[in-house]
Amino acid sequence: MFFVDALETAGLGNRSHLAGGTRAAVVVDPPRDIDRVLAEAARRGVRIVAVAETHVHNDYVSGGLELARLTGARYLVPAGAEVAYARVPVADGHVEPVDEGLVLRAVATPGHTPHHTSYVLEEAGRAVAAFTGGSLLIGSVGRPDLVEPRLTEELARAQHSSVHRLATELSDEVAVMPTHGFGSFCSSSRADGTHSTIGTEKASNPALVQDVDSFVKELLAGLDDVPAYYAHMGPANAGGPAPVDLTAPRPADADEIARRLAAGEWVVDLRNRVAFAAGHVAGSLNFEADGQLATYLAWMIPWGRPVTLLAESAEVVGRAQRELTRVGIDRPAAAAVGGPADWLADGARPASFPRGAFADLAAARARGEDVVVVDVRRDGERADGWIEGSVHLPVHQLHRRLAEVPDGKVWVHCAGGMRAAIAASVLDAAGREVVAVDDAYAAAAEAGLSLITRER
């Protein structure tokens, strides 16, 4: 009997898969922190004999090279991928033995990248699961615009052809197991659900129910922003990522924290947004450890800028450090645990700012207060409607566009509160008077705020 275990990396919206039989297994699209994979293989009592990449990833740093080195597994990488290390170049139709009666068959599925390859797990000659990487996702497909703008439409059309090939060649009951699509920006649209089959996708996936021209037009019109750090992931994966170092960062005292802030480095407070708003080190930025830390910190920080982590415990620092290695922020410059009283230099007072709901914003406007409303959602979210009179500055652009924020008290909002907290910390660090709206966007209408909707 075969097994397939999914290893979820929720913060990045990705999954890796460990699949095998009674003695041996293959890992598809492994995460950077491979200790999780090794632990799962040990739990299963199997030896990892192959590591397979569906493509050179643009959204995270792969642990595949190191995993193959440590285990002695064959490292399967699509033949069309330009990489700087030795690997088994995989072409369409390649068959890789995994365990007795169990093989992995490569299927060329260009679209997410030109060289993208899916892998079909076959037991006794029968397909049982398809590891589709960034090709066929659950209710969607991988986006085609991460390689080269001039190739985007060509790759979109290739994506349509590739998923049709999978749907034609595989039986309806075959499980679809993508890498992307659980919140990843590599997905071309929001994908709901955690499990699917070829038959389910044939009935509902836009790529399989639309003609190619309609599909491409809709796909290209719906593409969201690309996180800035993606530009660094492909080269890192092609060059060969270094092993991960998860040893504890060097501890920093209050004076060092102050020096690093004065030097223009980023000091990141990992506490929840309520605690941060109530009191924090002036100039520090709030990226919640339990939010999409890696995505938004890596998106916003100038690449290579040193980062110091502040948290309530060493355990939180360790979790954050692990998450950041997945996007190439390998070693924090330093870290400190405790609270603001431990992080503030002698004589310094904690900074703070208020939080509010959309009802509070409506009340402030009703009182005639001169308020500035800044919407930090992404372009695609804003397109569905916005608060009348609000200024649109997506959170990942805000730190570079502070001069565009009008004078006055700034009420900053997103769709739920997490990104508004990041933005509020950026504005607070810049010396602006700010209120963080910690509320669901749907409450804006309920509060009586005037909304603008665009005909689409």
Side-chain angles (χ1 to χ4, degrees):
M1 288 292 293
F2 75 95
F3 72 87
V4 178
D5 293 334
L7 288 78
E8 189 165 7
T9 304
L12 296 177
N14 287 328
R15 286 182 178 177
S16 303
H17 293 93
L18 175 74
T22 57
R23 295 176 300 175
V26 59
V27 182
V28 181
D29 289 343
R32 181 87 185 277
D33 46 331
I34 59 173
D35 57 332
R36 293 193 292 151
V37 182
L38 294 171
E40 184 64 14
R43 186 187 72 81
R44 282 283 187 178
V46 294
R47 182 168 64 92
I48 296 172
V49 296
V51 177
E53 303 282 10
T54 58
H55 59 295
V56 174
H57 300 282
N58 289 293
D59 63 327
Y60 71 94
V61 180
S62 171
L65 183 63
E66 178 66 3
L67 181 60
R69 185 187 70 81
L70 285 177
T71 61
R74 284 162 57 85
Y75 192 26
L76 314 180
V77 179
E82 296 289 338
V83 297
Y85 43 81
R87 89 288 195 201
V88 178
V90 174
D92 185 54
H94 175 97
V95 175
E96 186 71 20
V98 176
D99 203 347
E100 185 175 355
L102 201 64
V103 302
L104 199 68
R105 178 169 58 86
V107 180
T109 49
H112 187 47
T113 66
H115 60 264
H116 190 282
T117 300
S118 298
Y119 297 94
V120 177
L121 187 68
E122 297 179 347
E123 183 183 45
R126 178 178 66 92
V128 292
F131 302 105
T132 55
S135 183
L136 178 62
L137 310 185
I138 298 176
S140 185
V141 296
R143 61 192 298 168
D145 61 328
L146 301 179
V147 177
E148 160 60 53
R150 292 171 296 179
L151 296 178
T152 296
E153 182 171 345
E154 176 185 332
L155 289 176
R157 291 181 179 277
Q159 191 72 293
H160 186 271
S161 177
S162 291
V163 299
H164 275 264
R165 179 186 180 187
L166 291 171
T168 299
E169 294 184 3
L170 300 176
S171 301
D172 285 358
E173 67 272 12
V174 173
V176 174
M177 297 186 169
T179 302
H180 305 313
F182 308 95
S184 168
F185 281 87
C186 275
S187 176
S188 63
S189 62
R190 180 177 176 82
D192 294 317
T194 57
H195 304 282
S196 190
T197 63
I198 290 293
T200 299
E201 295 307 309
K202 283 166 68 173
S204 59
N205 193 300
L208 293 171
V209 299
Q210 294 178 326
D211 65 82
V212 63
D213 291 332
S214 299
F215 165 75
V216 169
K217 180 179 179 181
E218 185 174 301
L219 173 66
L220 298 185
L223 293 174
D224 209 338
D225 298 335
V226 178
Y229 71 89
Y230 276 27
H232 304 280
M233 300 298 95
N237 286 319
V244 169
D245 178 3
L246 292 176
T247 58
R250 190 173 60 79
D253 60 17
D255 288 337
E256 181 177 347
I257 292 169
R259 289 197 302 272
R260 290 188 177 279
L261 282 168
E265 297 182 10
W266 279 37
V267 173
V268 173
D269 190 324
L270 299 167
R271 294 176 300 150
N272 70 70
R273 56 187 181 261
V274 177
F276 182 87
H280 54 270
V281 178
S284 63
L285 303 176
N286 183 212
F287 291 82
E288 293 178 304
D290 293 329
Q292 290 179 276
L293 168 66
T295 294
Y296 284 100
L297 179 56
W299 198 337
M300 294 173 64
I301 191 170
W303 200 250
R305 184 76 56 88
V307 59
T308 295
L309 302 177
L310 309 180
E312 293 170 309
S313 69
E315 187 271 334
V316 174
V317 170
R319 282 196 290 115
Q321 181 180 354
R322 175 181 292 270
E323 188 168 348
L324 292 175
T325 63
R326 297 168 182 161
V327 292
I329 302 176
D330 282 3
R331 292 293 299 168
V337 299
D342 305 298
W343 307 330
L344 288 163
D346 290 343
R349 297 176 59 84
S352 64
F353 54 78
R355 298 163 51 252
F358 282 111
D360 300 311
L361 172 58
R365 278 187 163 181
R367 291 191 298 268
E369 294 184 16
D370 182 19
V371 300
V372 175
V373 180
V374 174
D375 178 352
V376 297
R377 296 175 300 158
R378 296 187 301 277
D379 291 344
E381 297 170 286
R382 173 89 172 181
D384 290 329
W386 60 90
I387 296 172
E388 185 176 12
S390 62
V391 177
H392 184 220
L393 294 169
V395 66
H396 55 276
Q397 300 175 9
L398 179 64
H399 59 300
R400 300 192 305 270
R401 299 175 62 186
L402 287 169
E404 298 177 40
V405 180
D407 294 336
K409 179 187 287 188
V410 182
W411 291 67
V412 59
H413 81 86
C414 60
M418 181 196 73
R419 289 171 293 171
I422 296 172
S425 72
V426 171
L427 290 161
D428 176 72
R432 297 300 302 270
E433 184 180 7
V434 64
V435 179
V437 178
D438 196 354
D439 204 355
Y441 181 71
E446 298 168 5
L449 290 164
S450 178
L451 304 183
I452 304 296
T453 57
R454 178 185 298 166
E455 293 293 334
R456 303 187 71 184

